[in-house]
Structures are given as C-alpha cells and as structure tokens.
Amino acid sequence: DPQQRILLEVAWNSLEDAGLVPEQLAGRPVGVFMGAFTLDYKILQFQDRETVSTHTAVGAMMTIIAARLSYVFDLRGPCVSIDTACSSSRVAVHLACQSLWNQECERAWAGGINVMTTPDYTIAESKGGFLSPDGTSKAFDSRANGYVRGEGAGVVVLKPLSAALADGDPIYAVIRST
C-alpha cells in the first residue's frame, strides 16, 4: 500500500527534523500512534486474484499502518493504528499524549495518512450523501453540508516538555491537554 511507504518517508522526515538518529531509538519505549481512514489501494490489490501474494494481506490491512513503523525502527512502545474516520489523526495525537502522560513511553510518533488511489470510496460516499455538494468543508459551522475527501500525511515526534527542555530539543508546540 502506498500509504505505508509514504508514512515511512514522512516518519523518517520527522526524525530528521527532530535531530534523531533511528538507531538511537531501536529497542526503546517509543510509541507509534497512526491514523488512517479508507484503504483505497486494498480495492486494487484484490481485484486480480492472480496477483494476490503472501504480502498482499499485510500490505492491505489498516492495522499494519502503525506496526510497520514499529517493526522497521525496532520500537518497543505502544503501537496503535486508529480509524475514527475524519478524526483519526487527532485521536492518534490524543492517544500518544495520554501514553506519554501515563509514562507508557518516553517518546511517541503521532500522525496519519490518507491516499486516494481509486474513485470507489468517493462514489460510495457521494451516493450516501456524505460529501459536501459544493466541495467545501465547513466543519463545526451551521452551514456544514457534508465533508470533503482529501489526502495527505503528517507525523510529529512528541515527548514530555520537561524531557524536551532537558535535552535541548527544538520545540514547535506544547500540547497541554487533549
């Protein structure tokens, strides 16, 4: 699934931005909390049974989104893939913060991904009346009339503020509550 590949690239970029060396994280209690919504590529993978292989299932399951990162970087903290529809990435950040505040991990990756590779979900959601007919997202607004599909990826590295200050880490934001 291209989502897994892109998420690996974006997660790597977040490590570089944080000044971290992947080998220093191996075997450490680093949590991975990743959100994903639809799995468009799964539709393509299972259309032709002749191309289904031993790797097809692992490449098509949303549950593997976070596990792929934990496995590749040999991380030993909580590993959670989240699908709460449009709020998946926000819930991933919430769960990562909770895990840090509960001292279940010393650092956490949080983020999400959505890649639209087929029109199938868009067609189904359109037929269901879920999509905004004017193509404009108006979340939490009285004029809201559906949602707008989008694609992208984002990953942040989180750790307790006291640890970030002690380590001299660059700090872009402080999350006080979720």
Side-chain angles (χ1 to χ4, degrees), residues 34-55:
M34 293 295 147
F37 184 16
T38 56
L39 297 170
D40 290 23
Y41 195 68
K42 182 177 185 176
I43 294 168
L44 295 174
Q45 286 184 300
F46 287 103
Q47 280 184 346
D48 181 4
R49 289 191 180 143
E50 295 298 319
T51 62
V52 173
S53 72
T54 57
H55 300 287

Side-chain angles (χ1 to χ4, degrees), residues 1 24 33 40 50 63 86-87 90 107 116 141 154 172:
D1 189 334
Q24 294 172 331
F33 302 84
D40 290 23
E50 295 298 319
T63 54
C86 301
S87 64
R90 291 180 68 188
R107 183 181 328 249
M116 301 184 308
D141 188 309
Y172 295 118

Side-chain angles (χ1 to χ4, degrees), residues 17-18 169-174:
D17 187 60
D169 292 337
I171 299 170
Y172 295 118
V174 176

Side-chain angles (χ1 to χ4, degrees), residues 52-72:
V52 173
S53 72
T54 57
H55 300 287
T56 302
V58 175
M61 288 191 262
M62 204 286 288
T63 54
I64 301 298
I65 292 288
R68 173 88 52 196
L69 293 172
S70 289
Y71 176 78
V72 167

Side-chain angles (χ1 to χ4, degrees), residues 2 13 33 58-59 62 81 118 136 139 145 164 177:
N13 291 341
F33 302 84
V58 175
M62 204 286 288
S81 296
T118 69
T136 305
N145 59 357
S177 68

Side-chain angles (χ1 to χ4, degrees), residues 84-160:
T84 56
C86 301
S87 64
S88 298
S89 298
R90 291 180 68 188
V91 173
V93 170
H94 167 74
L95 293 175
C97 288
Q98 293 295 317
S99 187
L100 288 165
W101 293 329
N102 292 329
Q103 299 177 352
E104 297 167 346
C105 58
E106 63 187 29
R107 183 181 328 249
W109 259 338
I113 184 149
N114 188 53
V115 176
M116 301 184 308
T117 56
T118 69
D120 298 299
Y121 280 108
T122 303
I123 292 167
E125 291 167 354
S126 179
K127 287 182 177 183
F130 308 133
L131 301 180
S132 170
D134 60 15
T136 305
S137 178
K138 299 180 256 333
F140 311 111
D141 188 309
S142 62
R143 298 172 297 135
N145 59 357
Y147 89 102
V148 180
R149 289 195 77 199
E151 60 183 358
V155 175
V156 294
V157 177
L158 303 173
K159 71 192 284 189

Side-chain angles (χ1 to χ4, degrees), residues 10-33:
V10 173
W12 183 273
N13 291 341
S14 73
L15 287 181
E16 288 179 338
D17 187 60
L20 296 169
V21 177
E23 291 77 19
Q24 294 172 331
L25 300 178
R28 310 276 315 156
V30 176
V32 179
F33 302 84

